[in-house]
Amino acid sequence: MAARRDGLAEWERGFALAGVVLVGLALAAVHWLGLLVGGAGVGLLARSWPRALAGGAGFGALAWLAFVAVLADAGRLAGYLASGQLLALSAGMAVGLGLVGGLAYGLRSAGSTA
């Protein structure tokens, strides 16, 4: 396979992205900084600013959905959905921190091959 302009083949980028998402979700399960780390990893693998920001926000949304799945598995989803502001705050924080992590795209140099 030929390397793309940015230095990574499509399959390499896919494996790297899957690894970053798994590591970010594992870190987010134990500490909120995992949301920033996951968003940063996704952002660093992006090809443009819009993709980096969308990827970071998407990672945060995925982490929040994983949190909701854990609550559903524990039988606590009804109470969480009835909590109102806590629901909105937790969803907003997850997406927002992932988005902030996506800003790591700006740390790449102009000639970066990552």
Side-chain angles (χ1 to χ4, degrees):
M1 271 191 171
R4 299 189 58 105
R5 242 182 352 163
D6 57 6
L8 286 178
E10 199 62 35
W11 65 272
E12 291 173 320
R13 182 178 303 281
F15 278 120
L17 184 61
V20 163
V21 168
L22 289 176
V23 168
L25 286 175
L27 289 173
V30 295
H31 199 276
W32 62 267
L33 282 175
L35 295 167
L36 289 174
V37 170
V42 171
L44 287 172
L45 288 171
R47 292 191 189 109
S48 66
W49 273 107
R51 287 183 180 193
L53 297 177
F59 172 79
L62 178 66
W64 181 74
L65 288 173
F67 170 66
V68 169
V70 168
L71 289 177
D73 186 49
R76 305 285 186 199
L77 186 58
Y80 174 68
L81 293 176
S83 65
Q85 290 181 350
L86 180 61
L87 171 69
L89 180 66
S90 65
M93 283 179 57
V95 173
L97 287 171
L99 182 70
V100 169
L103 292 173
Y105 178 82
L107 299 176
R108 292 174 47 172
S109 63
S112 175
T113 60

